[in-house]
C-alpha cells in the first residue's frame, strides 16, 4: 500500500529541511562560542579579583577587554586591581578613564589623588579632591588631604 503519491520528492525535501536546520544550528553555535568565551574569562577575572589575586585579575580583565567587552563594565575592577597590585601607572590610566567617563566614586577620587601625589603631580591631585568635594560634599579626610597638598604649592 502506497501512502505517498510522489515518493521521489518527499525524502529530498525532508533532507533539505534537515540540512538547513543543521546549518542554522551550527551557525548559531559559531556565533555564541566567542560570547561564551568572553563570559567565562570575565567570570574567571571576577573570581581572581574576589580572591584578592589582583595582578592576575588585572591581566584577565585586560584579556576580557581585548575580546571586545565594554570597558565600562570592567573599569571598577581593573582600576582597583591595578591599584591594589601596585601597578601605579596602569591604575592612573584607569582612574583617568573613569574621570573622563564621570564614573569616579568618592573613594576613587581619594585613591587617584594619593597616586598622583606619589608621582609629584600635586596640583592635579588637589584638583581631583576639589572636584570630589564639589560632587560628594566636604569631609574631614578630604579637607586634611587638601591641607597636606597645599604644603607643596
Amino acid at each position: 500500500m502506497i501512502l505517498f503519491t510522489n515518493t521521489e520528492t518527499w525524502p529530498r525535501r525532508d533532507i533539505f529541511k534537515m540540512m538547513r536546520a543543521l546549518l542554522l544550528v551550527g551557525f548559531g553555535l559559531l556565533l555564541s562560542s566567542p560570547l561564551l568565551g568572553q563570559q567565562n574569562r570575565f567570570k574567571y577575572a571576577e573570581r581572581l579579583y574576589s580572591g584578592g589575586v589582583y595582578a592576575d585579575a588585572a591581566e584577565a580583565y585586560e584579556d576580557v577587554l581585548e575580546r571586545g567587552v565594554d570597558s565600562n563594565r570592567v573599569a571598577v575592577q581593573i582600576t582597583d586591581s591595578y591599584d591594589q597590585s601596585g601597578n601605579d601607572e596602569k591604575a592612573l590610566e584607569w582612574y583617568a578613564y573613569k574621570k573622563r567617563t564621570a564614573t569616579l566614586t568618592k573613594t576613587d577620587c581619594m585613591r587617584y589623588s594619593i597616586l598622583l601625589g606619589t608621582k609629584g603631580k600635586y596640583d592635579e591631585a588637589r584638583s581631583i579632591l576639589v572636584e570630589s568635594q564639589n560632587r560628594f560634599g566636604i569631609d574631614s579626610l578630604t579637607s586634611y588631604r587638601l591641607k597636606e597638598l597645599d604644603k607643596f604649592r
Side-chain angles (χ1 to χ4, degrees):
M1 176 174 190
I2 298 176
L3 293 175
F4 301 102
T5 57
N6 193 354
T7 57
E8 293 269 330
T9 58
W10 179 78
R12 191 176 290 157
R13 194 173 351 138
D14 240 14
I15 289 172
F16 286 127
K17 282 182 182 179
M18 194 179 325
M19 286 175 55
R20 186 173 54 189
L22 286 173
L23 283 172
L24 288 174
V25 168
F27 186 67
L29 287 174
L30 283 174
L31 287 178
S32 68
S33 63
L35 296 175
L36 290 174
Q38 287 175 359
Q39 290 173 348
N40 288 338
R41 191 67 176 160
F42 185 73
K43 287 178 184 177
Y44 173 69
E46 285 182 324
R47 280 195 310 272
L48 290 170
Y49 178 81
S50 296
V53 188
Y54 297 113
D56 292 341
E59 271 184 46
Y61 284 124
E62 288 287 355
D63 186 45
V64 168
L65 289 170
E66 287 175 14
R67 295 173 186 228
V69 172
D70 180 24
S71 52
N72 287 326
R73 185 172 175 199
V74 299
V76 173
Q77 293 94 337
I78 199 168
T79 305
D80 196 40
S81 293
Y82 280 129
D83 196 356
Q84 294 295 329
S85 66
N87 191 335
D88 295 348
E89 297 307 315
K90 284 289 202 172
L92 285 169
E93 287 175 24
W94 278 99
Y95 280 124
Y97 170 83
K98 289 177 77 173
K99 182 181 180 201
R100 284 191 310 274
T101 59
T103 57
L104 281 174
T105 65
K106 188 173 185 175
T107 303
D108 288 340
C109 290
M110 183 58 69
R111 290 293 309 148
Y112 191 21
S113 171
I114 290 168
L115 281 176
L116 287 168
T118 64
K119 302 298 178 190
K121 299 177 179 180
Y122 305 116
D123 290 337
E124 196 175 341
R126 190 175 196 299
S127 73
I128 295 294
L129 290 179
V130 169
E131 184 180 319
S132 174
Q133 277 190 331
N134 292 339
R135 280 184 62 199
F136 305 110
I138 298 172
D139 64 47
S140 59
L141 183 59
T142 305
S143 296
Y144 173 79
R145 181 80 180 132
L146 282 168
K147 287 177 189 171
E148 291 295 310
L149 287 169
D150 285 342
K151 293 177 184 176
F152 296 100
R153 291 183 114 189

